[in-house]
């Protein structure tokens, strides 16, 4: 059995697990209730249970498993990061932001429903993420740190701040340092949060381990965005599951635009090499984390 086959098997099992966990924590739109809008509940499920790589949840599971956390304790943070990610995509696709029609090969939320519903879907998924994160019988100090981590990495000094900079940068000329700073927030922050949440679920963790894991997450977060920019150039719409060339059409700054395609591809590889070096310094079996790092630059969508 090859390493790639092992990774594929582990990813399949973990994706099945997170899909079930998400389905349980989301409101059931098939059960009529006077306590909420059936349409809103349905749209929340539509926007969340529509496939995807589930990379952030996979990182929660892989990190926690490597550090000896109980698998049942990893479902809560895995769901939380996916709910935050789903909310960000719903809002990002709206006409007031990127105005995309497709997400994972399906109509985006505001296209399948309407803009007001999409706005409320994002709001509801965000708050559900923190409710879900608190529903976990782990060390309360660690749980408090997890809530703070997710809040910081998805707010003004994290993902949302990066999205704001992205919108402000349309049509402008950024240098490579500015572009990297933007993506450290927009894409990298939630990936770093995923790894840290997985680590904090473990019983015994120290600052040195957290730092090495954060360095790993930082590198793969940037590599993920570089590869996204590359795929926007070389992949097709059917493979991507979203409109190919969307960033170019919006005149957004990207790594291939600033560095050239081949140099951008090499930068992603170099970042993964740095991530793997950080794993080499950890006293755990980090095979899955290493394989996920390679997956970041080998993926086709």
């Amino acid at each position: 059995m090859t390493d790639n086959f092992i990774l594929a098997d582990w990813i399949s099992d973990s994706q099945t697990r997170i899909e079930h966990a998400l389905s349980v924590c989301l409101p059931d739109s098939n059960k009529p209730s006077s306590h909420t809008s059936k349409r809103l509940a349905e749209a929340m499920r539509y926007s969340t249970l529509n496939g995807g790589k589930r990379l952030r949840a996979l990182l929660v599971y892989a990190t926690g498993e490597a550090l000896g956390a109980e698998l049942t304790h990893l479902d809560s943070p895995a769901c939380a990061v996916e709910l935050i990610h789903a909310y960000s995509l719903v809002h990002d696709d709206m006409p007031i932001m990127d105005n995309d029609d497709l997400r994972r090969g399906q109509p985006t939320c505001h296209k399948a429903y309407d803009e007001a519903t999409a706005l409320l879907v994002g709001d509801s998924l965000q708050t559900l993420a923190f409710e879900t994160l608190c529903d976990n019988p782990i060390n309360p100090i660690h749980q408090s740190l997890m809530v703070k981590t997710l809040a910081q990495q998805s707010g003004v000094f994290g993902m949302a701040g990066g999205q704001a900079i992205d919108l402000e940068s349309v049509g402008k000329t950024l240098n490579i340092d500015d572009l990297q700073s933007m993506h450290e927030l927009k894409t990298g922050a939630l990936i770093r949060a995923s790894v840290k949440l997985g680590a904090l679920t473990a019983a015994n963790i120290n600052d040195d381990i957290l730092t090495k894991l954060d360095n790993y997450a930082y590198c793969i977060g940037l590599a993920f965005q570089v590869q996204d920019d590359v795929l926007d150039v070389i992949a097709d719409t059917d493979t991507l599951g979203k409109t190919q060339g969307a960033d170019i059409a919006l005149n957004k700054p990207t790594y291939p635009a600033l560095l050239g395609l081949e140099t951008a591809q090499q930068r992603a590889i170099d970042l993964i090499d740095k991530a793997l070096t950080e794993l080499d310094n950890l006293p755990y079996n980090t095979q899955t984390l290493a394989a996920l790092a390679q997956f970041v630059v080998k993926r086709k969508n």
Side-chain angles (χ1 to χ4, degrees), residues 4-275:
N4 284 337
F5 184 78
I6 292 173
L7 177 65
D9 192 44
W10 181 88
I11 286 178
S12 178
D13 289 344
S14 298
Q15 287 174 334
T16 298
R17 185 178 186 92
I18 188 59
E19 294 298 331
H20 173 73
L22 284 168
S23 183
V24 170
C25 77
L26 285 161
D28 190 345
S29 58
N30 292 319
K31 293 182 179 179
S33 171
S34 61
H35 300 297
T36 191
S37 161
K38 181 179 180 180
R39 181 178 174 83
L40 176 59
E42 181 184 275
M44 290 171 67
R45 298 184 75 86
Y46 175 86
S47 301
T48 307
L49 302 176
N50 60 353
K53 295 173 286 296
R54 303 299 187 199
L55 175 64
R56 291 150 191 82
L58 296 179
L59 287 168
V60 173
Y61 286 128
T63 305
E65 289 173 12
L67 274 59
E70 292 188 36
L71 190 56
T72 54
H73 293 174
L74 294 169
D75 291 332
S76 168
C79 283
V81 294
E82 285 298 328
L83 290 168
I84 291 288
H85 182 53
Y87 119 70
S88 75
L89 297 181
V90 170
H91 282 186
D92 200 44
D93 289 337
M94 292 179 67
I96 54 173
M97 294 186 72
D98 282 355
N99 194 23
D100 278 324
D101 295 341
L102 289 176
R103 173 65 63 181
R104 295 166 183 162
Q106 299 296 321
T108 49
C109 184
H110 70 277
K111 287 292 184 180
Y113 294 89
D114 54 70
E115 291 181 31
T117 298
L119 183 67
L120 291 172
V121 164
D123 294 343
S124 300
L125 291 175
Q126 182 189 47
T127 53
L128 181 60
F130 289 98
E131 178 184 345
T132 302
L133 187 57
C134 292
D135 188 19
N136 203 355
I138 63 170
N139 181 321
I141 295 177
H142 280 198
Q143 189 173 71
S144 177
L145 287 172
M146 291 166 73
V147 170
K148 184 175 183 179
T149 294
L150 187 58
Q152 288 179 327
Q153 299 288 50
S154 54
V156 64
F157 298 111
M159 180 189 70
Q163 288 175 315
I165 295 170
D166 189 19
L167 291 171
E168 294 163 7
S169 301
V170 174
K172 295 182 179 178
T173 301
L174 297 185
N175 61 39
I176 194 63
D177 291 335
D178 291 336
L179 182 64
Q180 178 169 311
S181 295
M182 176 179 74
H183 288 309
E184 286 172 7
L185 302 179
K186 183 184 176 184
T187 304
L190 198 55
I191 286 177
R192 292 171 73 181
S194 302
V195 171
K196 189 170 182 178
L197 294 186
L200 288 171
T201 311
N204 298 308
I205 192 72
N206 59 52
D207 289 343
D208 181 59
I209 298 300
L210 286 174
T211 297
K212 288 182 173 61
L213 285 170
D214 187 57
N215 291 340
Y216 158 85
Y218 173 85
C219 290
I220 67 169
L222 279 180
F224 184 91
Q225 183 59 54
V226 175
Q227 182 67 2
D228 250 16
D229 287 356
V230 167
L231 291 173
D232 190 62
V233 176
I234 67 173
D236 57 71
T237 296
D238 288 340
T239 301
L240 287 175
K242 58 184 179 180
T243 306
Q244 186 271 341
D247 289 341
I248 297 172
L250 290 170
N251 197 24
K252 283 191 171 186
T254 66
Y255 284 94
L258 290 180
L259 299 175
L261 182 60
E262 291 185 4
T263 303
Q265 290 171 314
Q266 186 59 50
R267 173 158 294 207
I269 293 170
D270 292 344
L271 285 164
I272 294 305
D273 287 342
K274 291 180 181 178

